[in-house]
């Protein structure tokens, strides 16, 4: 009976939320927001698999016809889903060849077993790399390596492992916040650049972006790092010592042909994603998603040192992380629901009608609105919706919109709670979603409040934050 009640809590919360929102929002918009409430509750209490919850948007839309079904279904094999599948195919060969053990032990030799060092290195690497690469790519690169490392020290049940918690959170959250470090770090940033260039009448250069956002990124990084360090862990160190792992690594011997193919093709896919601007003009459709899929498909044709194919379909079908792909897609589908039903437009109208005074209060509403949107969908969708709202609010006030836009783009890249978008990838690799939500709520409040205060101070005292 307890399980039945947990199951019923989801649809009950859905209908209750829709009823409470009815009148303020249209019926379709009310159902869209209520869908987010249902999914969040099921992700927390988990009466069914988190991957089953990923299909709730399809079920709701089938019953209530909120938007065209094709708009929801198409999200479940979008371009990002293609990239995740391609990355997964490549990484499956790491397991079949034993490369995962070699890489994980090498990582332990390099980083050491201190939990603080582990968290710092994974968080720093994820943040720095996501400044230049898509956030999803970064998370997809690091998660399998981290999980392999954790399993090599006996943390086989990643979902229940408290040692794995902080490391996987560091990768998921680091991959997110690094996005506002450069204009190319996130497509959301390009939305901001477009608006700023229209407002200023001149090009917003890469240098202009970096000198404004690098101090903010450093502050957010430090706050997040301290928070990660303070998450309780059962021990200060992973099992083993550097000397022990060096000895273990020496026993692997030289790399075999299969391991080399798995490693070199993984590096090649990552490099091609990084240098895409060099070949985009003559291969415009070959985006990172399709680079990873093409290279992943090569694994079905290439042979290891024993003459066996690197990957066969039977193994790929049974070991591919289909659940992670659907979990990621559910966030995109939910985003389409809340956007296309007009729920977000209505919320924006309510915010504009508040007639806020310029300064701290307007910055607070702008940043909070962007944070809320990025939790429900993606940072790109959050920026596309929140920046026009911010420019509308500042236009009514007759104040400079630039500092509010800059604050909004930081907030849009700082999402920590629901397992959607980039945050779905660590969950797909075993991170407990209820713990991500628990700690994500706390960090989201801290980071949003810090962003509001720092951006307000910069607006008042830094000429760079106000220049038109």
């Amino acid at each position: 009976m307890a399980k039945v009640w947990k199951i019923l809590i989801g649809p009950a919360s859905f209908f209750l939320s829709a009823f409470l929102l009815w009148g303020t929002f249209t019926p379709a918009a009310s159902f869209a927001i209520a869908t987010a409430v249902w999914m969040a509750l099921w992700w927390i209490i988990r009466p069914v698999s988190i991957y089953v919850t990923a299909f709730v948007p399809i079920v709701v839309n089938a019953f209530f016809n909120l938007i065209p079904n094709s708009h929801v279904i198409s999200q479940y094999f979008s371009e990002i889903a293609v990239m995740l599948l391609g990355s997964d195919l490549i990484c499956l060969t790491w397991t079949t060849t034993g490369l995962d053990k070699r890489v994980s032990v090498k990582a332990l030799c390099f980083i050491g077993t201190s939990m603080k060092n582990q968290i710092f290195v994974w968080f720093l690497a994820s943040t720095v790399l996501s400044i230049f690469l898509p956030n999803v790519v970064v998370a997809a690169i690091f998660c399998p390596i981290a999980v392999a490392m954790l399993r090599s020290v006996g943390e086989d049940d990643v979902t229940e492992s408290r040692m794995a918690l902080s490391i996987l959170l560091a990768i998921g959250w680091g991959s997110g916040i690094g996005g506002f470090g450069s204009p190319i770090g996130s497509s959301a940033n390009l939305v901001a650049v477009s608006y700023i260039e229209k407002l200023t009448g001149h090009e917003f250069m890469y240098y202009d972006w970096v000198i404004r956002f690098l101090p903010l990124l450093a502050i957010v990084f430090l706050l997040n790092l301290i928070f990660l360090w303070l998450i309780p862990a059962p021990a200060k160190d992973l099992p083993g010592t550097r000397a022990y792992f060096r000895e273990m690594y020496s026993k692997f011997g030289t790399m075999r042909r299969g391991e080399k193919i798995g490693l070199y093709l993984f590096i090649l896919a990552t490099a091609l994603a990084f240098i895409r601007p060099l070949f985009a003009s003559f291969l415009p459709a070959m985006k990172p998603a399709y680079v990873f899929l093409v290279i992943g498909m090569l694994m079905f044709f290439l042979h290891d040192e024993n003459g066996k194919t690197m990957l066969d379909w039977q193994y790929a079908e049974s070991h591919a992380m289909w659940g992670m792909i659907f979990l990621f897609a559910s966030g995109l589908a939910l985003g389409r629901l809340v956007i296309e039903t007009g729920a977000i437009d209505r919320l924006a109208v309510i915010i504009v009608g508040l007639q806020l005074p310029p300064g701290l209060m307007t910055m607070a509403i702008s940043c909070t609105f962007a944070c809320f949107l990025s939790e429900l969908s993606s940072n790109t969708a959050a920026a596309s919706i929140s920046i026009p709202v911010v420019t509308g609010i500042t236009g009514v006030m007759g104040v400079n919109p630039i500092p509010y836009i800059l604050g909004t783009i930081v907030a849009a890249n700082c999402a920590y709670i629901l397992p959607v978008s980039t945050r779905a990838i660590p969950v797909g690799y075993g991170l407990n979603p209820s713990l991500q939500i628990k700690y994500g709520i706390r960090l989201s409040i801290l980071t949003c409040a810090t962003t509001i205060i720092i951006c307000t101070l910069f607006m008042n005292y830094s000429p760079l934050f106000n220049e038109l």
Side-chain angles (χ1 to χ4, degrees), residues 12 266 387:
F266 183 82
I387 290 178

Side-chain angles (χ1 to χ4, degrees), residues 77-290:
F77 206 71
S78 62
E79 188 174 287
I80 296 175
V82 171
M83 198 215 74
L84 292 174
L85 177 60
S87 173
D88 198 17
L89 292 176
I90 298 171
C91 291
L92 284 176
T93 64
W94 289 28
T95 303
T96 58
T97 62
L99 178 63
D100 57 344
K101 295 183 178 66
R102 183 185 294 273
V103 171
S104 60
V105 172
K106 189 66 174 179
L108 286 164
C109 293
F110 173 70
I111 302 173
T113 57
S114 164
M115 278 300 294
K116 279 196 172 183
N117 285 351
Q118 286 281 338
I119 293 167
F120 173 73
V121 171
W122 288 112
F123 190 51
L124 178 66
S126 300
T127 302
V128 171
L129 201 56
S130 65
I131 292 175
F132 308 101
L133 285 173
N135 304 347
V136 179
V137 174
V138 176
I141 290 170
F142 284 144
C143 279
I145 300 173
V147 168
M149 179 200 70
L150 288 161
R151 286 176 176 157
S152 72
V153 296
E155 300 292 322
D156 294 320
D157 190 353
V158 175
T159 303
E160 300 301 325
S161 170
R162 301 294 296 196
M163 306 294 277
L165 174 64
S166 296
I167 292 173
L168 289 177
L169 286 177
I171 294 172
W173 291 345
S175 300
I177 67 167
F180 72 87
S182 75
I184 61 173
S186 168
S187 51
N189 302 346
L190 302 179
V191 177
V193 169
S194 174
Y195 273 92
I196 291 172
E197 288 181 343
K198 287 178 182 177
L199 290 167
T200 60
H202 58 77
E203 184 178 359
F204 195 64
M205 303 294 288
Y206 189 101
Y207 171 78
D208 295 322
W209 182 283
V210 171
I211 61 173
R212 286 164 174 79
F213 283 100
L214 198 57
L216 283 166
L217 180 57
I219 293 168
V220 171
F221 176 87
L222 184 60
L223 174 68
N224 287 200
L225 178 63
I226 293 171
F227 184 89
L228 285 163
W229 277 344
L230 292 176
I231 293 176
K236 293 183 179 180
D237 301 281
L238 294 169
T241 63
R242 283 197 185 193
Y244 168 77
F245 290 115
R246 288 194 186 103
E247 183 181 351
M248 182 186 292
Y249 187 79
S250 66
K251 293 178 181 178
F252 289 138
T254 57
M255 288 184 67
R256 299 183 295 275
R257 172 184 166 84
E259 291 179 280
K260 289 179 180 178
I261 291 174
L263 179 61
Y264 294 159
L265 290 185
F266 183 82
I267 293 172
L268 176 63
T270 304
L272 288 174
F274 190 87
I275 63 170
R276 170 168 161 70
L278 298 180
F279 63 84
S281 59
F282 56 91
L283 284 175
M286 189 58 74
K287 298 178 181 179
Y290 309 114

Side-chain angles (χ1 to χ4, degrees), residues 229-396:
W229 277 344
L230 292 176
I231 293 176
K236 293 183 179 180
D237 301 281
L238 294 169
T241 63
R242 283 197 185 193
Y244 168 77
F245 290 115
R246 288 194 186 103
E247 183 181 351
M248 182 186 292
Y249 187 79
S250 66
K251 293 178 181 178
F252 289 138
T254 57
M255 288 184 67
R256 299 183 295 275
R257 172 184 166 84
E259 291 179 280
K260 289 179 180 178
I261 291 174
L263 179 61
Y264 294 159
L265 290 185
F266 183 82
I267 293 172
L268 176 63
T270 304
L272 288 174
F274 190 87
I275 63 170
R276 170 168 161 70
L278 298 180
F279 63 84
S281 59
F282 56 91
L283 284 175
M286 189 58 74
K287 298 178 181 179
Y290 309 114
V291 168
F292 273 87
L293 183 63
V294 168
I295 293 177
M297 289 180 64
L298 287 177
M299 299 302 183
F300 293 102
F301 302 94
L302 299 175
H303 293 78
D304 63 15
E305 65 278 1
N306 298 316
K308 295 174 59 178
T309 54
M310 294 287 292
L311 196 62
D312 62 68
W313 177 249
Q314 287 74 20
Y315 185 87
E317 183 182 26
S318 58
H319 289 78
M321 303 184 72
W322 305 110
M324 176 185 68
I325 296 171
F326 294 138
L327 184 64
F328 189 101
S330 68
L332 302 178
L334 179 61
R336 292 297 291 265
L337 284 179
V338 296
I339 292 170
E340 291 190 30
T341 57
I344 298 305
D345 291 338
R346 177 57 185 158
L347 189 57
V349 169
I350 293 171
I351 291 172
V352 172
L354 293 176
Q355 297 182 342
L356 300 166
L360 180 63
M361 284 301 297
T362 299
M363 184 67 76
I365 289 294
S366 301
C367 293
T368 303
F369 184 48
C371 281
F372 172 74
L373 294 181
S374 62
E375 289 293 348
L376 291 182
S377 53
S378 66
N379 52 11
T380 304
S384 300
I385 297 165
S386 57
I387 290 178
V389 173
V390 169
T391 54
I393 294 171
T394 53
V396 171

